[in-house]
């Protein structure tokens, strides 16, 4: 069921099991049959923790979506609300409760995810329904295991539609940092105190954690040696670049949500003989993507240009395996062949799926548009013509290409030039407003507020220094057999991951100059580990580092970190945690402000 | 089956009671707990008030005060060492063991009206309970005094006067009452009164005069008026034994005296001056009592408290019997002997050892000695046994040390708490049952903080469950000491608690606040490392500014909101805003709240801060909420004003542009009946061109200074869309195209008009010629252009598009040209 969580160096299934146990305990608290009323946003993250079967075992008979008015009738004893702590939702719940049939009252319960909120309870009290609830509880779901080496909060950050970083910088709201700190507490309760912490830009969170940890020493042998907290603000460039790994491209083009992707169905039509393609399915094809699938685990982090070769190699192996049946002579041999059949058939199905996906993606990557856009990105990243208006961007605006594409490129140019000349910036802004509409003025302001767009200050452009010192651009990136993380962007080595790599070896002291240029101070902190719990490392045993991306991480960055883990002499294995899985498009989208939305 | 008993003297009582326990109402808590006496209780003279006294098990005074409340029917102790005094009117008063009044509660109207006749205090897994028999001969029950749910039990049929005896049972997770009315026996539960018959009860009895239930509620003993003691299981399914005491007068008290896992039942019956123990065999064991005494049933025996002495009566534990029985050949006995000889340096030691080893019973011998040591009260005996065990261990390899080590530790702790000055005479069995946690609690209740800390440290209890917890209790006690100043106490607390982990200072501060010391509470809160913990108390103490900054420090947004909302209701608007102004984090959170909940307040906040930029944004947003154009334009004008004030010329100018565009759109909508309002400039121009309003489009292009390139793209596409080829051609000739002519070719092709496309091929720049020719499918032309330019990659591109069957000649030419291009 959750086999993909076991495979990593750290057994993240412990976390999932702990979450499942809490859920079962809460459900059993509301004894008798029950219906769950869902805050729709939560169904995705919950799917990663528990399937419907678990709920059913604990007498959940019906599920509804939270909406105004009366809850649909259901012959159950309990109504349980699973909600985020948001005032709007409290108003809906109050309405639900107030319109409940007085003759056949049911018991009400609330489960707040990820945390209980006094403010919300106050609101329920004002609405006069607080006493109608038998149980009010919280379900601490901070870090959800996505894969054997990947945790994401997907919680409050995205619960608030906006993401942590953006909200934090845009609205000065530290909620998500607080939740991240709490999430780390939960993690340390299960996996032991992390002895060494490095952090970039998130000083106050560090201090907060230190205080929270005081006095809550766990008696568990530390699983992680080091924690690295990276604020997205330190590396604004990477998410803007188009990811070129297989998984990265799937996310860029189709978007992966809660481990699932929806794909156009045409390529997946079952071709039955004699029928032709008469009844093409119209429903999008939904596929789960994680490392439980052997083939996907193999190719997800490859540069897309190396995926074709990998797929055809796999195809040969599989058909060779099927050929084996001709060699099977004895009953014993045939029996063995048959016993492997299910596994082989699964592999063949998986191969067919990924061949289709790869074809879909290839249609896009070979297009001129994709090529041109990538060329411009790479020019920016290598510092070509970043100080003047780009003809390509101009043309794209004239063609009214998707606004997000334009914003990604303009922001990228700004970041790679440490700000744009006022004239250039104003020109772009005016072009955007005239073409896409004045309403985007607020979006542009948001981008400026978080620093993605900015006018050039008197300071000189220091991006080239960073690029050179950290070797962010590798001319001869090897896409087929990579020897450096830069393969994930076919040349560009993500800044965030480079920092992580340097930290492990030779250490940050070697790049003091660059650290001074990067935004925000950096810290090192040690946490007391009870004597007797100090890890005795075997010679040759790798260190384990938890890299926590505050404000989101891309699949390409994850691929780069996995590459580092697997490098023969790296000496460090990485587990990745984040507030949200992002790509350039979803990231920019989260910063957009459309005043036409939410109109009455 | 012979019953072996031993009676150990625990203490010579430290109290000095003139009349012994005569005329005293006595309650002693199990597990060696405190003893409460209500002296002069039976005297009932209106002039002399009874005196309530509390002592430790060794008779050291803990509290003493005159009883000023109503008539007490019963005293009893709770599981957390609180004293319960049940009054005649059904009120229960709760005191701590220092005689401090804690609270009181009532057992209900029915009880207070018909008065309390008899009452029993009992313990169950759910806590401490109270059962009352009222004057109306009905039972009322509360299973847990900390969560009182009163239950009135059903009526007992035929009950005319007080029952001869009754007891509380816990069965099937429910508390029930067992009542004897003459020879009839009933079980009362929530819903029913069921008659029951003890199996094999001697028929000569006409009445059950006394009953008692064992510590575990598993066994029941009944005493009949014929002097027989019936013993059986409390579910009345099985009889264990029946013994004739030959005494027919009603006893004072009866109790079970059976250790867990014992082979046989045993109960103690007490009359004036006489104690009889009954077991399985017909013979009884009798003890003479000098003095008025009280029996205190324990898990593994009975304590007997008299005016001068405190004794423990219990069945001799198996291990002790094996070892100390005369001429015992048990392995433990032999080991003890071997060790004695060894100390005497006699070779007999070896002989004994050999004997044990030959039977391979050495590890059994060690275990017996360790176990027996646990049951012994005399430290000397304990030591002898443990030394023997240790000696035996030397001859064993791989003997697990845990049992021995933990027994040594346990005994050390037990000896310390059994000490006369502490007075908690726990047996090892009781200690294991009650756990270290509870023992530490008991020590804390007695304010024996240093001892409690020593015990925690010695037993290596995790700090937050052990030392830290004790220190917290100490601090909570300390802050109530009225005679010391705030500074002194705060200092003392912080010094003592400094390096203890996991201390909740807010709990201590709450205690201080409750005892009326707000200043001290604030001082103590300063030590609380988790700011979030400080907030609720600060709010309670009405220290809202401090609460706000602490909430912000905690980083818990919800907490900040809570304080902000509290302040909003508490303060007037001006003060509220002022306070927010000094707390930027709270202010921005509140702004976010307002963004969703209170738009108008948001505006006021921006105004207060002279935040013109945000005010501008606010008006922009508001402008989209209004349907009427005039209102929208007016709001945008406000935005423009604010943007100018904010010195944001770009925003101001673009907003002015938008207003201009809106007016233009509206005007045209009215004139031409074409929907335009709300479109971007680009879309407006596109729409105008598509409906043929070229002039108007041109006007916008000029007015808004649209870059040529974009306008040309726009017009090109719009005309092609309309398939207005004539107009397109005219447009193409107006001046030199700023976007070149390749787009013309491509757009025409896109609209499947090769004929028109060809018109522009000649105008394309040399660099784009090949592409243009290819676009219109002119292979010859493309080849020509490529060869002319001698560009290798272009030649290759053309080659790749050639078809081997039709363009054979062309390919030859191209290949030749390519060869020369490469050479160059």
């Amino acid at each position: 069921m959750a086999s993909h969580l076991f495979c990593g160096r750290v057994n993240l299934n412990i976390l999932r099991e702990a979450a499942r146990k809490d859920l079962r305990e809460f459900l059993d608290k509301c004894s008798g049959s029950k219906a769950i009323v869902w805050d729709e946003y939560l169904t995705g993250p919950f799917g990663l923790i528990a399937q419907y079967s678990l709920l059913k075992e604990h007498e959940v008979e019906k599920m509804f979506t939270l909406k105004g008015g009366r809850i649909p009738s259901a012959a159950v004893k309990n109504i349980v609300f699973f909600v985020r702590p948001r005032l709007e939702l409290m108003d809906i719940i109050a309405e639900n409760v107030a319109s409940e049939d007085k003759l056949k009252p049911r018991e009400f319960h609330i489960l707040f995810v990820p945390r209980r909120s006094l403010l919300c309870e106050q609101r329920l009290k004002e609405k006069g329904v607080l006493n109608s609830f038998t149980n009010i509880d919280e379900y601490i779901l901070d870090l959800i295991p996505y894969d054997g080496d990947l945790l994401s909060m997907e919680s409050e950050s995205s619960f608030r539609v906006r993401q942590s970083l953006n909200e934090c910088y845009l609205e000065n709201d530290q909620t998500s940092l607080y939740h991240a700190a709490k999430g780390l507490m939960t993690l340390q309760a299960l996996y032991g105190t992390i002895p060494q912490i490095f952090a970039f830009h998130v000083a106050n969170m560090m201090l907060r954690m230190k205080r929270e940890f005081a006095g809550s020493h766990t008696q568990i042998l530390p699983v992680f040696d080091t924690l690295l907290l990276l604020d997205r603000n330190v590396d604004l460039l990477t998410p803007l670049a188009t990811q070129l790994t297989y998984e990265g491209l799937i996310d860029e083009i189709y978007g992966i949500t809660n481990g699932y992707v929806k794909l156009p169905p045409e390529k997946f039509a079952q071709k039955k003989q004699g029928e032709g393609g008469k009844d093409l399915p119209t429903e999008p094809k939904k596929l789960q993507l994680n490392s439980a699938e052997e083939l996907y685990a193999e190719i997800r982090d490859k540069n897309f240009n190396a995926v074709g070769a990998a797929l055809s190699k796999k195809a040969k192996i599989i058909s060779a395996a099927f050929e084996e049946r001709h060699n099977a002579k004895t009953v014993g041999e045939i029996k063995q062949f048959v016993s492997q059949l299910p596994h082989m058939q699964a592999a063949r199905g998986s191969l067919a799926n990924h061949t289709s996906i790869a074809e879909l993606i290839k249609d896009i990557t070979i297009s001129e548009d994709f090529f041109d856009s990538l060329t411009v990105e790479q020019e920016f990243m290598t510092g070509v013509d970043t100080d003047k208006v780009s003809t390509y961007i101009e043309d794209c605006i004239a063609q009214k290409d998707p606004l997000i594409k334009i914003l990604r490129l303009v922001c990228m140019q700004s970041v790679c030039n440490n700000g744009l000349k006022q004239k250039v910036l104003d020109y772009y802004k005016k072009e955007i407003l005239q073409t896409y509409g004045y309403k985007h003025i607020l979006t542009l302001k948001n981008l400026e507020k978080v620093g993605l767009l900015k006018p050039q200050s008197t300071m000189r452009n220091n991006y080239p220094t960073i690029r050179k010192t950290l070797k962010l651009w590798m001319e001869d990136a090897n896409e087929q057999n990579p020897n450096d993380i830069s393969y994930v962007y076919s040349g560009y080595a993500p800044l965030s991951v480079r920092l992580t790599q340097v930290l492990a070896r030779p250490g940050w002291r070697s790049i003091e100059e660059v650290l001074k240029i990067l935004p925000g101070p950096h810290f090192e902190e040690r946490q007391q580990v009870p004597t007797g719990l100090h890890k005795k490392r075997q010679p040759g045993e790798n260190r384990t580092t938890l890299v926590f991306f505050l404000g989101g991480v891309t699949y390409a960055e994850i691929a780069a970190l996995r590459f580092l883990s697997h490098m023969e002499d790296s000496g460090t294995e990485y587990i990745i945690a984040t507030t949200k899985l992002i790509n350039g498009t979803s990231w920019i989208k989260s910063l957009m402000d459309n005043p036409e939305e939410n109109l009455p | 089956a012979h019953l072996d008993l031993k009676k150990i003297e625990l203490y010579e009582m430290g109290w000095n009671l003139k009349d012994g326990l005569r005329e005293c109402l006595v309650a002693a808590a199990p597990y060696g707990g405190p003893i409460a006496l209500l002296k002069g209780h039976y005297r009932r003279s209106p002039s002399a008030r009874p005196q309530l006294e509390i002592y430790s098990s060794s008779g050291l005074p803990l509290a003493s005060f005159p009883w000023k409340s109503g008539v007490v029917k019963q005293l009893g102790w709770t599981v957390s060492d609180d004293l319960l005094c049940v009054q005649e009117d059904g009120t229960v008063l709760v005191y701590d063991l220092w005689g401090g009044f804690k609270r009181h509660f009532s057992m209900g109207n029915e009880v207070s009206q018909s008065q309390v006749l008899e009452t029993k205090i009992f313990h169950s897994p759910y806590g401490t309970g109270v059962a009352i028999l009222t004057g109306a001969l009905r039972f009322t029950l509360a299973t847990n005094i900390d969560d009182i749910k009163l239950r009135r039990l059903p009526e007992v049929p035929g009950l005319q006067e007080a029952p001869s005896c009754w007891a509380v049972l816990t069965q099937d997770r429910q508390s029930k009452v067992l009542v004897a009315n003459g020879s009839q026996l009933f079980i009362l539960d929530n819903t029913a009164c069921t008659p029951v018959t003890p199996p094999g009860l001697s028929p000569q009895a006409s009445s059950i005069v006394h009953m008692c239930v064992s510590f575990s509620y598993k066994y029941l003993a009944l005493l009949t008026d014929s002097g027989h003691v019936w013993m059986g299981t409390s579910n009345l399914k099985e009889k264990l034994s029946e013994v004739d005491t030959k005494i027919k007068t009603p006893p004072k008290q009866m109790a079970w005296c059976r250790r867990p896992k014992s082979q046989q039942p045993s109960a103690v019956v007490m009359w004036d001056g006489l104690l009889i123990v009954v077991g399985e065999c017909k013979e009884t064991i009798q003890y003479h009592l000098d003095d008025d005494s009280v029996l205190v049933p324990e898990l593994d025996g009975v304590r007997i408290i008299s005016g001068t002495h405190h004794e423990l009566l219990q069945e001799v534990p198996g291990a002790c019997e094996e070892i100390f029985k005369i001429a015992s050949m048990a392995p433990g006995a032999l080991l003890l002997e071997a060790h004695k000889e060894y100390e005497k340096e006699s070779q007999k030691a070896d002989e004994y050892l050999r004997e044990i080893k030959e039977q391979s019973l050495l590890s059994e011998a060690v275990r017996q000695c360790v176990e027996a040591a646990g049951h012994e009260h005399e430290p000397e005996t304990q030591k002898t046994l443990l030394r023997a065990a240790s000696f035996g261990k030397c001859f064993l390899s791989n003997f697990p040390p845990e049992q021995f080590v933990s027994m040594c530790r346990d005994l050390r702790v037990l000896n310390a708490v059994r000490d006369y000055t502490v007075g908690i005479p726990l047996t090892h069995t009781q200690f294991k049952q009650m756990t270290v946690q509870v023992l530490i609690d008991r020590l804390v209740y007695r304010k024996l903080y240093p001892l409690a800390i020593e015990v925690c440290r010695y037993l290596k209890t995790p700090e937050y469950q052990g030392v830290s917890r004790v220190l917290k209790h100490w601090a909570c006690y300390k802050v109530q000491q009225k005679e010391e100043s705030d500074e002194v106490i705060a200092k003392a607390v912080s010094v003592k608690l400094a390096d203890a982990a996991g201390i909740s200072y807010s709990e201590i501060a709450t205690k201080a606040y409750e005892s009326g010391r707000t200043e001290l509470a604030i001082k103590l809160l300063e030590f609380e490392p988790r700011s979030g913990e400080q907030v609720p108390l600060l709010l309670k103490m009405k220290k809202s500014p401090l609460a706000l900054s602490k909430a912000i420090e905690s980083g818990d947004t919800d907490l900040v909101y809570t304080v902000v909302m509290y302040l909003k209701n508490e303060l007037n608007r001006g003060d509220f805003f002022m306070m927010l102004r000094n707390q930027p984090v709270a202010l921005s959170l509140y702004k976010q709240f307002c963004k969703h909940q209170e738009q108008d307040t948001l505006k006021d906040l921006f105004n207060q801060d002279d935040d013109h930029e945000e005010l501008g944004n606010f008006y922009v947003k508001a402008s989209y909420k209004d349907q009427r154009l005039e209102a929208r334009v007016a709001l945008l004008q406000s935005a423009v004003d604010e943007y100018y004030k904010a010195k944001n010329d770009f925003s101001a100018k673009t907003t002015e542009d938008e207003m201009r565009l809106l007016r233009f759109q509206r005007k045209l909508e009215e004139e031409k009946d074409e929907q335009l309002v709300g479109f971007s400039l680009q879309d407006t121009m596109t729409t105008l061109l598509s409906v043929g309003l070229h002039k108007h489009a041109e006007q916008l292009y000029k007015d808004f200074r649209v870059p040529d390139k974009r306008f040309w793209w726009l017009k090109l596409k719009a005309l092609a869309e309309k398939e207005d080829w004539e107009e397109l051609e005219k447009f193409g000739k107006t001046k030199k195209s700023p976007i070149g002519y390749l787009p013309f070719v491509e757009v025409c092709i896109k609209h499947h008009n090769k004929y028109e496309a060809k018109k522009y091929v000649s105008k394309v720049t040399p660099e784009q010629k090949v592409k243009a020719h290819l676009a219109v499918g002119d292979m010859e032309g493309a080849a020509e252009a490529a060869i002319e330019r001698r560009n290798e990659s272009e030649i290759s591109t053309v080659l790749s598009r050639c078809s081997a069957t039709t363009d054979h000649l062309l390919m030859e030419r191209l290949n030749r040209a390519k060869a020369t291009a490469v050479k160059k």
Side-chain angles (χ1 to χ4, degrees), chain B residues 596-702:
Chain B
H596 299 291
Q597 306 278 333
E598 293 175 20
Q599 290 281 339
D600 290 337
T601 316
L602 190 61
K603 200 172 104 186
D604 295 346
L605 283 167
F606 291 145
N607 256 323
Q608 178 192 268
D609 294 348
D610 291 328
D611 190 342
H612 299 295
E613 178 76 22
E614 281 298 339
L615 274 170
N617 296 345
F618 176 82
Y619 287 123
V620 169
K621 268 189 198 166
S623 80
Y624 283 91
K625 303 232 155 35
D626 216 310
Q627 297 293 314
R628 297 159 306 143
L629 189 83
E630 302 74 36
R632 284 180 73 168
V633 172
L635 282 163
L636 286 176
Q637 182 59 52
S638 311
V640 169
D641 297 345
E642 295 298 340
Y643 285 143
Y644 274 125
K645 280 187 206 154
K647 302 210 164 44
N648 187 341
D649 284 2
F650 178 85
S651 294
K653 291 228 165 69
T654 35
T655 309
E656 280 172 334
D657 281 353
E658 173 70 2
M659 291 161 61
R660 213 144 42 97
L661 181 63
L662 281 171
R663 289 203 189 97
F664 178 90
Q665 288 168 333
R666 162 54 59 90
K667 196 170 138 242
L668 228 60
E669 265 189 16
E670 281 160 5
E671 286 170 12
K672 310 285 179 191
D673 194 29
E674 196 65 43
Q675 201 187 336
L676 289 172
V677 169
F679 282 16
S680 73
L681 179 63
Q682 184 88 343
D683 294 345
T684 313
M685 292 190 295
T686 311
T687 314
L688 293 176
L689 288 172
S690 71
V691 297
L693 295 167
H694 295 256
K695 278 225 180 77
H696 292 96
E698 295 277 344
Q699 191 198 330
L700 286 176
Y701 155 60
K702 278 178 198 137

Side-chain angles (χ1 to χ4, degrees), chain A residues 354-462:
Chain A
H354 287 289
T355 310
S356 304
I357 299 176
E359 279 170 17
L360 282 169
I361 292 175
K362 197 164 183 204
D363 287 349
I364 290 163
T365 54
I366 58 168
S367 71
E368 213 167 311
D369 268 359
F370 187 85
F371 180 77
D372 290 347
S373 166
L374 204 61
T375 310
V376 173
E377 279 185 17
Q378 300 198 337
E379 278 174 9
F380 288 158
M381 288 191 287
T382 47
V384 178
D385 284 345
T386 49
D387 57 345
K388 46 184 181 226
V389 172
S390 149
T391 328
Y392 178 71
I393 297 180
E394 232 181 341
D395 284 349
C396 289
I397 296 176
Q399 308 278 356
K400 214 180 169 188
D401 278 355
L403 175 60
I404 291 186
K405 174 185 171 184
I406 309 295
L407 293 176
R408 267 178 89 160
L409 285 171
V410 174
C411 289
M412 193 169 195
Q413 189 181 351
S414 169
V415 172
C416 289
N417 199 50
N418 195 20
L420 296 168
K421 279 186 192 149
Q422 190 69 52
K423 228 177 76 193
V424 175
L425 180 61
D426 284 353
Y427 178 77
Y428 279 138
K429 277 161 64 182
K430 194 175 154 198
E431 283 292 283
I432 290 169
L433 294 181
Q434 288 196 347
T435 308
Y436 299 91
Y438 169 77
K439 64 185 175 201
H440 296 292
I441 189 167
L442 297 175
T443 300
L444 293 176
K445 282 170 189 265
N446 287 347
L447 294 173
E448 287 185 70
K449 253 191 223 169
V450 300
L452 277 169
L453 273 185
K454 60 178 181 189
Q456 209 167 36
S457 59
T458 45
M459 274 192 345
R460 68 184 188 92
N461 177 13
N462 48 28

Side-chain angles (χ1 to χ4, degrees), chain B residues 331-618:
Chain B
L334 293 176
L335 180 59
L336 188 63
E337 214 49 48
H339 182 246
K340 268 185 198 153
E341 295 301 333
Y342 170 74
E343 299 231 294
K344 280 193 252 162
E345 298 180 15
S346 149
Q347 58 169 15
K348 275 189 188 164
D350 187 48
E351 283 167 27
Y352 282 119
L353 263 180
R354 251 175 231 281
E355 198 174 336
I356 311 170
K357 281 175 101 174
E358 269 160 21
Q359 305 170 67
S360 324
L361 286 172
L362 188 51
S363 51
E364 174 59 26
V366 173
R367 259 189 293 275
Q368 268 185 4
C369 287
V370 172
E371 200 195 323
H375 292 301
E376 288 301 325
H377 266 247
E378 273 310 311
E380 274 317 310
T381 323
Q382 294 165 0
K383 279 185 205 162
T384 312
L385 285 163
L386 287 172
R387 281 200 194 106
S390 171
F391 173 68
K393 247 156 48 84
C394 299
F395 301 94
L396 284 167
S397 53
N398 295 330
F399 186 81
E402 291 81 10
Q403 192 202 8
F404 179 78
V405 173
S406 70
M407 183 57 82
C408 290
R409 286 206 183 117
D410 289 352
L411 282 177
R412 187 142 187 211
V413 170
L414 283 176
N415 290 338
V417 299
R418 282 171 191 163
D419 186 89
Y420 179 78
T421 52
V422 178
I424 302 181
L426 278 180
T427 65
H428 189 255
T429 316
Q430 291 165 15
F431 172 61
K432 281 296 166 198
Q433 175 74 23
M434 95 191 288
T435 72
V436 189
Q437 291 296 317
V438 178
L439 176 62
I440 291 168
D441 280 341
R442 299 265 154 115
L443 294 176
V444 163
Y445 296 143
R446 301 216 183 165
K447 299 180 189 161
L448 296 167
Y449 305 109
L451 179 61
I453 289 175
E454 282 305 312
V455 169
C456 292
R457 294 214 171 114
Y458 184 66
L459 293 180
K460 299 200 168 60
T461 318
E463 202 163 309
Y464 63 97
Q465 289 171 10
V467 175
S468 295
R469 202 161 54 102
V470 176
L471 283 173
K472 187 198 80 186
H473 281 287
W474 167 79
C476 286
Y477 167 63
K478 184 86 185 162
V479 297
Q480 295 175 57
Q481 287 176 354
K482 297 259 181 339
E483 62 277 12
E484 289 191 63
S485 76
D486 291 349
E487 283 73 24
V488 173
I489 292 181
K491 182 124 194 293
V493 168
S494 74
V495 166
K496 266 259 153 73
L497 273 57
D499 45 353
I503 292 269
S504 165
Y505 280 92
S506 53
E507 245 175 90
I508 303 167
T510 307
K511 252 292 166 329
Y513 173 65
E514 280 168 3
S515 31
R517 304 183 73 159
T518 311
E519 286 310 310
L520 177 58
I522 294 172
K523 279 202 173 69
L524 288 169
L525 273 183
E526 282 298 316
F527 298 118
E528 173 64 64
R530 283 158 299 188
S531 338
E533 301 283 304
Q534 310 175 9
V535 175
L537 181 60
L538 285 171
L539 275 186
K540 212 153 91 190
M541 298 192 297
K542 302 227 180 298
K543 302 284 170 193
S544 27
L546 199 53
L548 184 59
S549 42
K550 291 296 172 187
I552 291 166
E553 225 173 79
S554 79
D556 183 347
T557 321
D558 184 59
L559 209 53
V560 181
Y561 272 131
T562 308
V563 181
V564 167
M565 291 304 140
Y566 177 86
L567 290 172
K568 191 182 159 202
N569 295 331
E570 210 55 5
L571 305 173
N572 67 45
R573 208 171 161 90
D575 293 347
F576 176 55
F577 280 12
M578 270 318 283
M579 186 174 283
L580 285 182
R581 220 176 155 165
N582 299 324
Q583 296 284 6
V585 176
L587 179 60
S588 52
L589 279 178
Y590 183 61
K591 277 180 189 161
Q592 228 180 308
F593 169 82
C594 292
K595 208 177 266 178
H596 299 291
Q597 306 278 333
E598 293 175 20
Q599 290 281 339
D600 290 337
T601 316
L602 190 61
K603 200 172 104 186
D604 295 346
L605 283 167
F606 291 145
N607 256 323
Q608 178 192 268
D609 294 348
D610 291 328
D611 190 342
H612 299 295
E613 178 76 22
E614 281 298 339
L615 274 170
N617 296 345
F618 176 82

